[in-house]
Amino acid sequence: QVQLVESGGGLVKPGGSLRLSCAASGFTFSDYYMSWLRQAPGKGLEWVSHISTSSTYTDYADSVKGRFTISRDNAKNSLYLQMNSLRVEDTAVFYCAIYNSGWYSYWGQGTLVTVSS
Amino acid sequence: EIVMTQSPATLSVSPRERATLSCRASHDVISNLAWYQHKPGQAPRLLIYGASTRATDIPARFSGSGSGTEFTLTISNLQSEDFAVYYCQQYNNWPFTFGQGTRLDIK
């Protein structure tokens, strides 16, 4: 069955960096656009970024543009999110998800990123 | 950006009864709307897309309706495993946006 397992979250100081990973299994990873979404404490879900099947196309929410970089390795069935210049307001649970024609068909359980001094 | 507003914020319903959750879009999203179920510590789960099409393996007690700016998720014959937070999401305009969620509690 489809599995998405995020890792790499943790506690980081403002201005710091983290790299999130998402290990995918149970489907043909290279056939699907993939996305990162997040949920800040007490807030709703927010789309962060997505990437096309061959990495040709990427897009970002305005709130992370210029600071976050999405990438993928189809040979390793893995999705990544490099997060630089982290801010307190980036504190959230980050989810990877399969993007499918507008909706997100499968999600991981998430990894918590806490930005605090 | 399209703002999605869900109501009520919390809904208390008894098992085996019906729950009706609402989602309103600030602009017309046609039928480009999805619903998700989210339980604490678990992955969000896609329930409905295209406003009314059930996703794979979703029980028939979950149904979606609506178009334009007004949408409804109805859960019939509530089971214990249905008590969770539910989110709507529009995918008609970038950036895709989610509602703030409706928490469905056991009455």
Side-chain angles (χ1 to χ4, degrees):
Chain A
Q1 75 278 24
V2 172
Q3 267 204 310
L4 298 168
V5 180
E6 302 93 340
S7 61
L11 175 63
V12 62
K13 288 182 168 51
S17 297
L18 274 179
R19 188 193 195 208
L20 305 184
S21 298
C22 172
S25 61
F27 66 104
T28 306
F29 181 73
S30 57
D31 283 351
Y32 291 90
Y33 275 52
M34 296 294 296
S35 298
W36 286 100
L37 303 100
R38 67 183 179 182
Q39 185 170 34
K43 300 287 185 67
L45 291 160
E46 178 190 20
W47 166 75
V48 173
S49 180
H50 64 226
I51 187 168
S52 62
T53 54
S54 57
S55 305
T56 303
Y57 177 73
T58 60
D59 199 7
Y60 301 89
D62 286 345
S63 57
V64 307
K65 203 169 288 185
R67 301 187 298 122
F68 290 11
T69 303
I70 191 171
S71 62
R72 65 190 295 164
D73 185 335
N74 287 342
K76 294 184 178 179
N77 290 338
S78 293
L79 177 72
Y80 306 102
L81 187 68
Q82 177 66 43
M83 304 187 296
N84 298 331
S85 303
L86 281 161
R87 305 168 180 167
V88 171
E89 55 266 33
D90 293 319
T91 295
V93 176
F94 282 73
Y95 299 94
C96 68
I98 299 173
Y99 173 82
N100 191 335
S101 302
W103 57 90
Y104 302 97
S105 50
Y106 291 94
W107 302 57
Q109 290 188 312
T111 186
L112 176 62
V113 172
T114 302
V115 185
S116 174
S117 54
Chain B
E1 173 172 310
I2 294 180
V3 177
M4 307 300 291
T5 304
Q6 292 186 242
S7 61
T10 303
L11 182 62
S12 296
V13 183
S14 300
R16 294 179 298 282
E17 293 192 341
R18 175 186 300 180
T20 302
L21 290 67
S22 297
C23 175
R24 174 176 292 178
S26 61
H27 294 83
D28 186 355
V29 298
I30 315 175
S31 293
N32 295 318
L33 185 107
W35 289 94
Y36 302 87
Q37 177 192 68
H38 193 194
K39 299 179 183 178
Q42 295 188 19
R45 178 190 183 196
L46 173 69
L47 300 174
I48 301 284
Y49 61 91
S52 60
T53 302
R54 277 190 302 277
T56 303
D57 295 331
I58 300 303
R61 64 179 183 273
F62 291 89
S63 63
S65 63
S67 65
T69 61
E70 300 283 345
F71 300 89
T72 301
L73 175 69
T74 302
I75 313 170
S76 304
N77 186 23
L78 276 164
Q79 304 296 300
S80 57
E81 62 267 27
D82 299 335
F83 293 96
V85 180
Y86 291 83
Y87 295 95
C88 61
Q89 175 230 333
Q90 67 81 20
Y91 51 93
N92 195 64
N93 291 84
W94 281 107
F96 297 162
T97 48
F98 292 80
Q100 290 295 99
T102 291
R103 180 181 304 278
L104 181 58
D105 285 343
I106 299 176
K107 188 173 183 181

